[in-house]
Structures are given as C-alpha cells and as structure tokens.
Amino acid sequence: ELYFKLEELIHPGAEPVPPEYAPFREGDVRTSRADTSRAAQRLGFHPETNFRDALKKTVQWYKQNLDRHQWGT
C-alpha cells in the first residue's frame, strides 16, 4: 500500500509500475505494530499532519533536495 502511495506522489498520473519483491534480508521489519495511542494517553500527543500529507511533504522535500536525475525529471 505504501509503495503505491509513493508511486502516485512521485509520478502523478502515470500508470504505476508493479513492485519487485525480493527475499527478506537480515534486519528487515516483517511486521509492525506501530501505534501512537499510548503516546496520546500518556503524553497528550496527537499528530498535526495526516499520513498522506506528511508523505507528500516528504516526497516534495526529496525532489527539491536531491539531484533531478534521481527522480527522472
């Protein structure tokens, strides 16, 4: 799911390229139970930006700060 969101942000309007899967490597995270509910309860933490908007800002930063040839533009 994350791959296709990134693909859409990096190449808007283009037909998505299917991901290529490879065998797991040492240190790969196979499952995640990321959850901010404890931080909300104990620290009053609440994200100011939703995931899609944060991902979009991250992609924009990389596009502005990395060489153009790495993005195919």
Side-chain angles (χ1 to χ4, degrees), residues 8 11 22 24 26 28-29 33 38 43 46 48 52 54 65:
E8 179 186 327
H11 304 289
F24 283 103
E26 185 177 339
D28 280 352
V29 177
R33 292 180 176 83
R38 187 175 291 174
L43 305 172
H46 300 285
E48 295 178 8
R52 181 158 176 33
N65 291 282

Side-chain angles (χ1 to χ4, degrees), residues 10-41:
I10 294 169
H11 304 289
E15 185 69 27
V17 176
E20 293 182 26
Y21 296 99
F24 283 103
R25 299 175 297 179
E26 185 177 339
D28 280 352
V29 177
R30 294 181 187 219
T31 59
S32 173
R33 292 180 176 83
D35 182 1
T36 60
S37 62
R38 187 175 291 174
Q41 292 170 350

Side-chain angles (χ1 to χ4, degrees), residues 34-59:
D35 182 1
T36 60
S37 62
R38 187 175 291 174
Q41 292 170 350
R42 294 183 178 183
L43 305 172
F45 170 79
H46 300 285
E48 295 178 8
T49 306
N50 67 42
F51 181 76
R52 181 158 176 33
D53 290 343
L55 192 59
K56 185 176 182 178
K57 287 179 183 181
T58 301
V59 168

